[in-house]
Structures are given as structure tokens and as C-alpha cells.
Amino acid sequence: MSYVPQYSSAPTKPERKPVVVGVVQVAVFLVVVATPALYFLLMQRIVGIVADRELWNLDEPGDTPSSLASGEFLYALVTVVGLPIVLAVLAVLSAVGLQKRRRWGRILTAVWVGIMLLPLAVWAVAAAVLWKTVPVPTGTRDYFLGPIDPIMLNAIAGPVAFLSALTVFILIFTAPTRRWTPKPDSTPLPAAFNTFQGFPPQQAPWPNDSTSPRR
């Protein structure tokens, strides 16, 4: 009986989810959770603008932080409110795609996190500078989270968001993550082509009487 070697048509996939994939799934949501801090910073800034206008008698009747946010600062308000929503959708898609071992989940995560790295880095640095240079806001505390003012909140949330995004961007290209989300298998070939069949050994023909050496 001849030996028939078997060849696998696809690379071996890990059975258990690597730790780095779980870290990526958690870190993408840390980015989402941190970004609403921008809303509190914007509203606190508008509160300061209203106070300055009242001080210099430049305010108009009916000027409130809410009215300015929905008027002069509408674009900024839409940005800080819409950003967490968009990032939440992307984070869910990334987490689900990675959980189901889909290659598109890894590619999508690398793309949107890579795009967000620079803005998050700018936010982290600017928030830290504001925290060091700007005093604690006075007046209304409507946009404080307990004892934490919006400036301190962003000084915490900005670096957390950037470091989480940087962690995701690094881990998404590691070997365990790539093995967990391999390329989709191509169209399988028939079994006869997937298995290498060895040819049976050929026996040399017996010499003919006409060609055999005479004795």
C-alpha cells in the first residue's frame, strides 16, 4: 500500500480568541466613551461667552447658552454630538466583525482608528494645555460632573481616547489579530485536487528474447 500525503487547503486558525483581539474590542469603546466630554467643554465655553457679553453689555435679550448653541455655534454642537454617535456605530461594527473573525472587521478598524489618531492627539494635547493654563470656570456649574469641571474632564478624556486609539492601531496589525481574521478562503477545489495522490510504482518490462543477451 502506497503512502498518500494529505495537504490542507487553508491555514490553521486559532481556536481561542487571542487576548489582543479582546483588548482591541474594549479599547474601541473607550474612545467612544471619552468623546462626549467635548460637549461639556463646548457648553462651558458658551457659558463663558454669555458672561463676557453681559459684562461688556454686548448681550442681546434672550441670549442663553442653549440659544447660542443652537444658533451661532450650531455647527460645533452638531460636531460634538454627532461624533460619539458615528464612533459608536464604527466601534460596534469593529467589535462584531472581530468577534466573527471577519477580515473586513480588522480592515475597518484600522481605517477609522488611523483616521482619528491625529485629531485625538491634538485634542489630548490641547486639553492638557487648557487644564494647566485656564483657571477653574466660575459661575454656573450646570456642565460640571460632580466636582469635575469640563476642563479637567477633557484633560482626562482626551489622553484616554488617544492612548486607546493608539493601542488599537498597534494591536490590529499584530500577528495574533491577523491569524484570527484571515483572508477568506478561495473557492474550494474538488477533493481529487485537494489531495495529492501518489502514482503507483512502475515495474520495468521483462526483456524480450530478441534483445536478451545470448548465453
Side-chain angles (χ1 to χ4, degrees), residues 120-172:
L120 292 177
V122 173
W123 175 31
V125 174
V129 171
L130 283 176
W131 181 56
K132 289 292 185 180
T133 58
V134 177
V136 177
T138 58
T140 179
R141 299 173 63 92
D142 293 343
Y143 302 102
F144 282 45
L145 289 182
I148 303 177
D149 63 88
I151 295 177
M152 179 182 293
L153 178 63
N154 279 261
I156 298 172
V160 168
F162 171 69
L163 292 177
S164 299
L166 183 61
T167 301
V168 170
F169 194 73
I170 293 173
L171 295 182
I172 204 68

Side-chain angles (χ1 to χ4, degrees), residues 12-97:
T12 303
K13 299 178 182 179
E15 295 298 330
R16 298 182 60 184
K17 182 171 67 175
V19 175
V20 294
V21 176
V23 173
V24 169
Q25 290 176 305
V26 173
V28 291
F29 286 103
L30 288 179
V31 177
V32 177
V33 171
T35 50
L38 289 168
Y39 167 79
F40 295 93
L41 183 64
L42 172 65
M43 295 306 297
Q44 188 64 47
R45 176 56 184 154
I46 294 176
V47 168
I49 292 175
V50 172
D52 291 340
R53 289 182 178 181
E54 291 177 352
L55 179 63
W56 295 96
N57 295 323
L58 298 176
D59 59 317
E60 297 180 1
D63 274 355
T64 63
S66 299
S67 64
L68 289 182
S70 59
E72 297 179 29
F73 298 92
L74 179 60
Y75 291 116
L77 180 64
V78 170
T79 300
V80 298
V81 172
L83 180 62
I85 298 174
V86 173
L87 293 182
V89 173
L90 293 173
V92 170
L93 291 176
S94 295
V96 172

